[in-house]
Every structure is written in structure tokens, then in C-alpha cells.
Amino acid sequence: MPLDDYRRKRDRARTPEPVPADDPAGDGAGDRFVVQEHHARALHWDLRLEHDGVLASWAVPKGLPVDTETLRMAVRTEDHPMEYLEFSGEIPRGEYGGGTMTIWDSGRYTCEKWSDREVAFTLHGERATGRYVLIKSARDRRDGWLLKRSDRTGTTPLPHDTALMRGVPGDLPTAGDWLLQVRFGGRRVLVEIDGGRTRVLADGDELTVRSLAGLGPSVGATAILLDAELTAAGELWIGDLLFLAGRDTCPLGFADRHALLEELPLSGAHWRLAPVYPADAAVLEAVRAQGLPGAVAKRADSPYEPARERDTWVEIGERRAPRSRGRAGVGRATLSNPDKVLYPLTGTTKADVLRHYRTVAEVMLPHLRGRPVTMVRWPDGVEKPSFFEKDVSRHAPSWIRTERVGTPGGRSETADFPFLESEEGLAWAANLAALELHVPQWTIGPGGGRNTPDLVVFDLDPGEGTTVVECCRVAESIVDVLAEDDLVAYPRTSGGKGLQLYLPVTVGRAEQTIEFAKALAERLAEESPRTVTSIMAKQRRRGKVFVDWSQNNTAKTTIGSYSLRGRARPTVATPVTWDEVRACRKAADLVFTLDDLPGRLDTHGDLLEPLLFTERQRLPRRG
């Protein structure tokens, strides 16, 4: 029935969402739509189109695109009842989709095409207007779609290659129309806000700033690029506006750009606009009297000229920090012995390792965030001994976040694990020759406590006489079994000989994930005893693929996505498409080294992004 999936995921007694008893009687196409802003585990927007008496629904992590060049991921979810057109409210924590939901826009739409693989439509709302196309993703077997805008809008995509504008040192101008903006002695940064997510960039490096976690969600779907100062205390003072909602604002005069800033919701606990006053000597004296480092005078009609130094900005009373020249490393993380060879077979050096982790940082860091890292270090290269390191209390710098986490079965009861949540942190690990970065299937909460697992992993390990090719065939069988409960998994190479499948889940008990994985592994072994085993003993694996369910034990870890492996060659744990899994006929088909990753990221982006932004799946009770 059309709404069976919807009802199965909701408890009428616990959630305020409408749960109608009856299915729709008619099957008319309908023409109403709603877009809801959903502050759940991860902020996203739910696009719902009336079709055959229900609301066909897609979760769009970054909101509707405003230009024709931007593609948005969209995840097809269960059909919703028509009553959801007017629903807003608080879904209780712990329930499916728990969080705050508000109506972002609603209205009528015109449908041009509706098929299993493509939906073309035009929205006629107040905020959402224009022609859009939903296309079933070729690389996702079940619920992955792409959303693009297909009409001419006159808008442009958010730029990602902008550099800061700089002024010249000098005294307060006395002639002309100038404005004085207070400076607070922080680090100049660019701040990208897109789809409710924030990136803070300094000299091309991305910074992790926990105090700004709420900035993106407070702005919502609006794409913005800001010039700001970030103080050592994590306070952001916003000084200028470079881009707003599909529009390049750089050609505008500063007074006009600042007027746009004042209309935006940019005042929070740790971020606000830097004060602007008329360029008057009395204002400058007051700034100095408060002990602030200085100010910048900006000519009111001055455009923003990225990467330029212009006398239309005059920096008053500020000392410039010298720019670094060719220092090996990232930020505070220096790289010693950059030419040291860590992979003798290929001549791959420590500098090459750092280059890899900088290349993959944007897609890797979200998968590491909140997860304690176990490092495997090869200080003398992969042909020499290695060692695992969990406790970094003796040598981690103060700027590396550490948390004391229990280590059942380890040498001690607890260890101070590192958390690698910035490019700077990856560079620190690279300098330690920590080639492999392993993480658990759970995260640490704000108070330092361990959350219940949010991932299920099936680690497919080829026994003697088998390769990743046989793992791919078993992976296809697992997908078919998961489909019985509408569960979706995402594949990734291990960087070694095997293959791994990941499911984003929500569970009430930590044991649920390992119970579910074990039950499925045992079922496959029973159905295909000649090719699959669920028993760990190596002598039982000959000619078979071991479905290692034990990796869901909360005391265990798996290799992090995009991590290098300490093998003869610098192979990488690489996300792959289901088409690649199905097409795999020789082991080399799914072997990727650090040299392959830049091209794959250009083509595919992060294939495991659904693990971060799709709603967590509930495991069946029988599991």
C-alpha cells in the first residue's frame, strides 16, 4: 500500500506527524508541493510533490540549487500523506527524523515528465520558483537521485577559488566618502555557507571551528561567501560580503555590500558583524581606547577585488603578519624529512603522503569527525615494522583534540585518542608516518560519552583462492537481502584485498548492529555454503568469502574512508559505485592508489556522502 513504509517508521503515540489510517482513494497526479526545512541529525530540505494521492518525497541535503551549474544530491524517501503539506513541528528525539521541521515554501507545481528515472517539473512558490529535473543516479542502485535546475536564472554558483582582498597601511583618510570598520586582531578568513553547512578557509586550508557549528543552520539554504576575522577565542567578526544567493556582490560598493549584510541573519553566540562607523578621528580614538588593534577605512564605493591589494582600503594601526614561504606542512603542523621514502617500491615520500591527505581532506574529514582515531605508524617505511597508537597523551600538541575513551581488551582501561577534524590534523598524522587511520562505527558525544553505533559494516574478506571479485558477488547478495527490509548499503574497497559495505543506521542498543550483521552473515553462509562463511577461523575460509560481522563490535575499528594502507604500494580505501562492483571481473579492477584519487574525486565526489546526510535507517526487529 502507498503509505505502508510511512506508517511502519512512525509511532502515532510518540510523534506529532499525521498518520492517516486509510490510504488515498484517488490516483490523480495533483499539483501541490511543499519544501520543508528539517533540522534532524543533519540539516536538509525535504521536497515533496503531490502524485497519485500521496506526496512523493526526496531529502535534499543542501537544498534546491539556485543556478543551472550546481547538482544537488537527492535521496528518495518513503511517500508521505497529503496532510504533510501543512505539517511543521518538533519530531521527538529518537524517533525517525527526530528534530525540528518548518515549512520553507509551498505552492503549486507543473509536471512535465514523471517516470521511474526522471521527474521534470516547474515550481510556482514564493521562494521556490523555476524548472527543476530529478534524475535517478546511475551509480546508486536504489534511492539516489540528482537534482538540477534547468531554466535560465541569471544566477551563478558559489565560487570556491576566491582569495581575500587586502588594503594598504596608512593613516585615516580625510577626503572623500569613507567608512571605518573595526578590526579585532583575528585571522582573516573566508567563510563559505552553502546548504546550511559552513567551511572556514585560511590561506587555502580548511579550519575546524566548533564554535561556528550553528552558523550554517542559522542561515539555512542561502549560499553566502564572507570575508571575516576569526579570533583565537573562536569568535567570528564578519566584515564583507562577496557572494549572496547566486549573485556575485563583489562589483557593488562597500556601503551597498554592508547594507546587504545587515539584512541577513548573521548574529549569533559566536558570530556577528564587525562594527562600521563614519570615518571620523573620534571613532578611531575610541577604538584605540578599548585596546583594539586597529581598523580599516573602506571607501564607500569600493568594489571587492579578490587577491588584490588596493588603496581603496586603508589599514590603520595594524601590524601585518609575515607570510610563510615554502614551509613544509600545514598551519601549525610541520613536516620533517619530507623527502623520506615510505613506500620503497613506488618511491612514495612523506611529502607525497601529506599531499594525498590534503587532496582528500574535504571528503575524508566529515567521515572522521567525532570518531576517535587509531593510527598505524610506519616511521621507517612500509618494509619495516609498524605499530598501533591509540594513546597520544605524551606527544599530541595542544591544538589536537583528544578524548579519554574506554579500551576494553586493550593494554589499559582508557586511552587519550586523537580526533583528526582538520587538514592541519591530517598533516600532523602524516608527519608521524601514520599511514593508516582506523575509526569505530560510533562517535563521541559533546559530553565525551560514547554514542550508540550509527553505522553497520559488512567486511568481506577473501579467503585463500578468492579475490575481491568473489567479494563483489557476495556484496550483490547482501544488497538483495537488505532490500527485503528497504535497507541501502554503500560499497568501499578496503584498500587491501577485500570490500566493505556500510549502512547508516539508528539503534537503541549498541548490540543491535553486531546482532543484525551476524544474523545476515549466517543466513548467507547457510544459503551459499560453498562460497560464503561466517566463521572467523582461517582454515574455514579457503575458497570462500568471510563475511566479517565482528567488525561491528564496539571495541573494534575499520580503516577510515580515503585512508592509505601500509602495503607495498600506496593503496587507498576507496568508495566505489555499485556499477563498478557489478562490473568487477579481475582484482585489479578495484585497486586504487593515491595517484588515482584526484581523478576519482573530480568524477564522483564523495560516493559515501549518503552516510553523512541521509536519514538513518532502522534495523528490522527480527535482526
Side-chain angles (χ1 to χ4, degrees):
M1 302 297 287
L3 296 179
D4 277 357
D5 284 351
Y6 177 87
R7 294 192 190 94
R8 186 166 59 248
K9 296 177 179 179
R10 288 160 177 84
D11 183 343
R12 187 192 301 267
R14 290 183 55 83
T15 179
E17 297 165 277
V19 186
D22 299 320
D23 281 314
D27 60 354
D31 67 349
R32 289 174 290 178
F33 83 90
V34 66
V35 178
Q36 285 150 324
E37 186 171 314
H38 194 171
H39 291 257
R41 182 185 180 93
L43 172 64
H44 63 275
W45 283 261
D46 293 308
L47 168 65
R48 312 192 197 280
L49 305 175
E50 182 181 1
H51 185 72
D52 287 346
V54 295
L55 295 175
S57 299
W58 289 262
V60 186
K62 292 188 176 181
L64 304 184
V66 299
D67 59 83
T68 57
E69 297 180 37
T70 300
L71 281 176
R72 295 290 200 215
M73 183 181 74
V75 180
R76 185 74 159 91
T77 61
E78 72 279 4
D79 291 339
H80 283 52
M82 293 302 301
E83 290 85 348
Y84 229 90
L85 281 167
E86 299 179 352
F87 175 72
S88 63
E90 189 75 23
I91 302 172
R93 181 175 296 182
E95 293 301 297
Y96 175 73
T100 304
M101 182 175 284
T102 58
I103 295 178
W104 186 80
D105 198 11
S106 62
R108 304 280 176 175
Y109 81 99
T110 304
C111 182
E112 299 177 27
K113 180 178 181 179
W114 195 295
S115 71
D116 291 341
R117 303 199 65 83
E118 183 178 353
V119 179
F121 55 96
T122 301
L123 299 181
H124 308 288
E126 293 185 10
R127 302 171 78 173
T129 59
R131 186 179 186 274
Y132 297 84
V133 179
L134 280 159
I135 302 169
K136 183 73 171 67
S137 173
R139 66 174 186 246
D140 193 303
R141 190 171 181 179
R142 292 181 56 79
D143 58 4
W145 293 64
L146 297 173
L147 175 63
K148 65 174 295 185
R149 186 159 186 168
S150 59
D151 56 342
R152 294 186 178 181
T153 63
T155 56
T156 60
L158 180 69
H160 296 291
D161 57 355
T162 303
L164 292 164
M165 176 178 172
R166 297 183 181 275
V168 299
D171 297 323
L172 181 68
T174 57
D177 188 6
W178 293 78
L179 295 169
L180 199 63
Q181 188 165 59
V182 179
R183 287 278 172 85
F184 293 85
R187 186 179 186 182
R188 291 278 303 284
V189 294
L190 286 167
V191 181
E192 292 182 4
I193 306 174
D194 190 19
R197 290 158 180 83
T198 304
R199 297 179 70 218
V200 181
L201 305 168
D203 298 322
D205 297 328
E206 183 170 356
L207 309 180
T208 298
V209 188
R210 294 191 193 91
S211 59
L212 303 183
L215 174 57
S218 72
V219 171
T222 307
I224 302 174
L225 182 60
L226 303 168
D227 176 339
E229 274 188 281
L230 180 66
T231 70
E235 304 292 323
L236 189 75
W237 292 95
I238 300 165
D240 220 320
L241 178 68
L242 287 68
F243 181 90
L244 175 63
R247 178 188 181 190
D248 177 8
T249 59
C250 291
L252 300 176
F254 171 67
D256 292 330
R257 297 195 306 275
H258 194 265
L260 292 174
L261 277 175
E262 290 182 316
E263 296 175 1
L264 297 172
L266 291 173
S267 179
H270 300 284
W271 58 89
R272 59 193 63 83
L273 299 186
V276 172
Y277 302 99
D280 186 278
V283 175
L284 191 58
E285 289 179 10
V287 169
R288 290 168 172 161
Q290 294 182 49
L292 295 173
V296 55
K298 298 183 178 182
R299 204 173 67 195
D301 63 352
S302 61
Y304 193 101
E305 299 181 69
R308 301 287 186 181
E309 187 174 286
R310 291 287 185 258
D311 60 6
T312 53
W313 286 15
V314 179
E315 296 174 356
I316 305 167
E318 290 194 271
R319 290 176 296 177
R320 291 217 184 153
R323 298 184 185 179
S324 61
R325 296 183 180 274
R327 184 169 62 91
V330 177
R332 291 166 287 187
T334 58
L335 193 67
S336 61
N337 300 321
D339 296 325
K340 185 174 185 177
V341 174
L342 297 180
Y343 293 85
L345 182 66
T346 57
T348 304
T349 65
K350 186 186 283 190
D352 295 325
V353 169
L354 173 60
R355 190 174 300 111
H356 165 74
Y357 280 121
R358 296 194 72 177
T359 296
V360 302
E362 182 176 356
V363 291
M364 185 181 194
L365 289 171
H367 296 286
L368 296 179
R369 193 157 292 132
R371 301 183 194 273
V373 174
T374 297
M375 300 186 292
V376 188
R377 296 174 56 184
W378 277 266
D380 297 310
V382 297
E383 293 182 351
K384 299 294 178 64
S386 64
F387 63 96
F388 282 78
E389 185 172 47
K390 300 178 180 181
D391 194 329
V392 296
S393 57
R394 294 185 179 182
H395 66 85
S398 60
W399 46 269
I400 288 288
R401 174 193 171 196
T402 62
E403 296 280 357
R404 182 151 293 183
V405 180
T407 57
R411 295 181 180 179
S412 59
E413 294 183 358
T414 60
D416 290 328
F417 283 74
F419 286 72
L420 303 183
E421 299 177 321
S422 67
E423 188 172 330
E424 204 172 29
L426 290 176
W428 171 74
N431 186 55
L432 297 175
L435 304 180
E436 293 189 1
L437 307 175
H438 295 247
V439 291
Q441 315 313 318
W442 43 266
T443 59
I444 293 293
R450 183 184 297 188
N451 294 323
T452 54
D454 58 358
L455 294 170
V456 170
V457 59
F458 293 97
D459 190 2
L460 308 183
D461 189 0
E464 182 181 343
T466 64
T467 68
V468 72
V469 176
E470 285 74 21
C471 291
C472 288
R473 305 293 81 81
V474 175
E476 291 179 89
S477 297
I478 291 176
V479 167
D480 291 337
V481 175
L482 294 175
E484 296 174 6
D485 294 298
D486 293 324
L487 297 174
V488 181
Y490 301 87
R492 193 197 72 183
T493 72
S494 66
K497 297 179 181 179
L499 190 72
Q500 296 168 338
L501 307 184
Y502 284 85
L503 291 78
V505 298
T506 180
V507 296
R509 295 181 297 109
E511 298 79 8
Q512 279 180 264
T513 55
I514 194 169
E515 291 168 357
F516 173 78
K518 183 179 181 182
L520 192 149
E522 290 176 341
R523 171 180 165 179
L524 284 178
E526 182 178 349
E527 293 176 350
S528 306
R530 294 185 177 181
T531 57
V532 179
T533 180
S534 62
I535 298 174
M536 192 171 298
K538 287 197 174 182
Q539 62 269 27
R540 303 286 293 271
R541 301 190 205 176
R542 292 192 184 97
K544 300 179 182 181
V545 172
F546 172 42
V547 180
D548 189 354
W549 47 269
S550 70
Q551 295 299 326
N552 296 282
N553 184 319
T554 54
K556 290 193 174 185
T557 60
T558 54
I559 189 72
S561 296
Y562 304 102
S563 173
L564 287 163
R565 300 306 303 264
R567 307 299 171 99
R569 293 194 297 154
T571 54
V572 179
T574 306
V576 294
T577 69
W578 277 113
D579 285 345
E580 288 176 305
V581 172
R582 287 189 287 270
C584 180
R585 291 297 179 269
K586 57 183 185 296
D589 289 343
L590 292 185
V591 175
F592 305 99
T593 68
L594 54 75
D595 293 329
D596 299 314
L597 266 292
R600 287 189 65 83
L601 292 177
D602 287 342
T603 301
H604 299 294
D606 180 16
L607 289 170
L608 291 186
E609 191 176 45
L611 298 183
L612 304 170
F613 301 125
T614 56
E615 291 188 355
R616 301 277 154 181
Q617 303 168 104
R618 289 183 179 274
L619 297 177
R621 293 185 184 278
R622 61 177 174 76

